[in-house]
Amino acid sequence: MIGIFGGTFDPVHFGHLRSALEVKEVFGLSKLLLIPSAQPPHREQPAASALMRLQMLELAVSHHPELSVDARELKHNGPSYMVDTLASLQYDYPQETLLLFIGSDAFEQLMTWHQWQHLFDLAHIVVMTRPGVNLDTLDDFFKPLYCELITELASTRAGKLYFHKVTPLDISATAIRQMISNQQNPGYLLPETVLAFIKQYQLYQRH
């Protein structure tokens, strides 16, 4: 199984990296791909350029060979739609099962995503969440897709919905950018290599 972990990573921080490392191990993934989006269609444009976000991500995982950076969304023009990314990955990895990892906030917005039902034709979706999922509140579309065992994900190619509790690190890229803008030190929230890069290129400064 291959894990897909998308985001703007503006900047990448320990919340992203801790979750990525955990799911790589828990789900026994052959790869975990961190995929920075070029133009996220559901949010404001990133403050740092696509190239700089890619470079920060590569710095962050340089000592973690179990995590990989995949730049495919940065290589095409226009908005980054996850359905297109998954189709591309399925083409590249025809023998592998794809697991798309998203946060609970993203899951709440999933029905606004481009061709969102088609995501389940291409991958399983794993929602990284805190404990206590209320299944009664699940939309009727999702209820038949819900599964409780990781083994069910490994036994089918796509189409399942699974909720996985991760260690909640309450770190946000927005808060980090705000701290830097306010000339505060965001140390211990993100890798030192990434922080050094931000300082070198004076990213997120108030102009």
Side-chain angles (χ1 to χ4, degrees):
M1 296 191 293
I2 291 180
I4 297 110
F5 200 122
T8 49
F9 302 111
D10 188 29
V12 61
H13 55 68
F14 285 135
H16 299 132
L17 298 167
R18 180 61 229 167
S19 296
L21 203 57
E22 270 187 42
V23 300
K24 169 74 171 63
E25 293 182 341
V26 170
F27 289 81
L29 303 172
S30 56
K31 287 178 186 283
L32 191 133
L33 304 177
L34 296 151
I35 304 182
S37 57
Q39 295 181 35
H42 296 282
R43 54 192 297 174
E44 63 188 38
Q45 291 308 300
S49 72
L51 179 61
M52 285 185 158
R53 290 182 290 112
L54 176 66
Q55 289 172 318
M56 286 189 281
L57 204 47
E58 288 173 338
L59 285 169
V61 304
S62 59
H63 298 299
H64 286 276
E66 64 271 48
L67 303 178
S68 306
V69 178
D70 186 303
R72 72 185 60 224
E73 288 194 1
L74 305 183
K75 294 174 182 173
H76 68 82
N77 296 321
S80 306
Y81 293 120
M82 183 52 72
V83 68
D84 297 332
T85 301
L86 290 178
S88 168
L89 286 162
Q90 198 178 69
Y91 180 83
D92 286 352
Y93 301 102
Q95 305 303 318
E96 300 270 9
T97 295
L98 303 178
L99 270 59
L100 173 61
F101 291 90
I102 62 174
S104 49
D105 292 347
F107 179 64
E108 288 172 8
Q109 301 295 319
L110 190 68
M111 294 169 87
T112 68
W113 289 24
H114 180 64
Q115 295 183 8
W116 65 273
Q117 296 101 325
H118 189 39
L119 296 170
F120 288 95
D121 298 327
L122 300 165
H124 299 306
I125 293 184
V126 178
V127 183
M128 297 176 293
T129 183
R130 291 178 173 81
V133 176
N134 185 355
L135 295 179
D136 294 334
T137 64
L138 268 186
D139 185 85
D140 287 342
F141 176 87
F142 298 121
K143 285 178 181 174
L145 309 181
Y146 172 75
C147 71
E148 293 186 346
L149 299 173
I150 289 176
T151 51
E152 292 183 64
L153 304 178
S155 63
T156 52
R157 284 298 304 277
K160 298 288 187 185
L161 175 67
Y162 184 85
F163 291 87
H164 176 68
K165 177 191 165 191
V166 292
T167 302
L169 295 181
D170 193 13
I171 303 172
S172 93
T174 304
I176 290 171
R177 293 195 303 271
Q178 191 65 50
M179 291 175 77
I180 294 168
S181 176
N182 292 338
Q183 297 185 318
Q184 296 170 309
N185 185 351
Y188 301 113
L189 297 177
L190 69 173
E192 283 297 318
T193 52
V194 175
L195 188 52
F197 183 93
I198 289 169
K199 288 176 179 175
Q200 180 182 351
Y201 292 99
Q202 299 184 332
L203 297 177
Y204 313 124
Q205 302 284 341
R206 186 180 295 158
H207 295 295

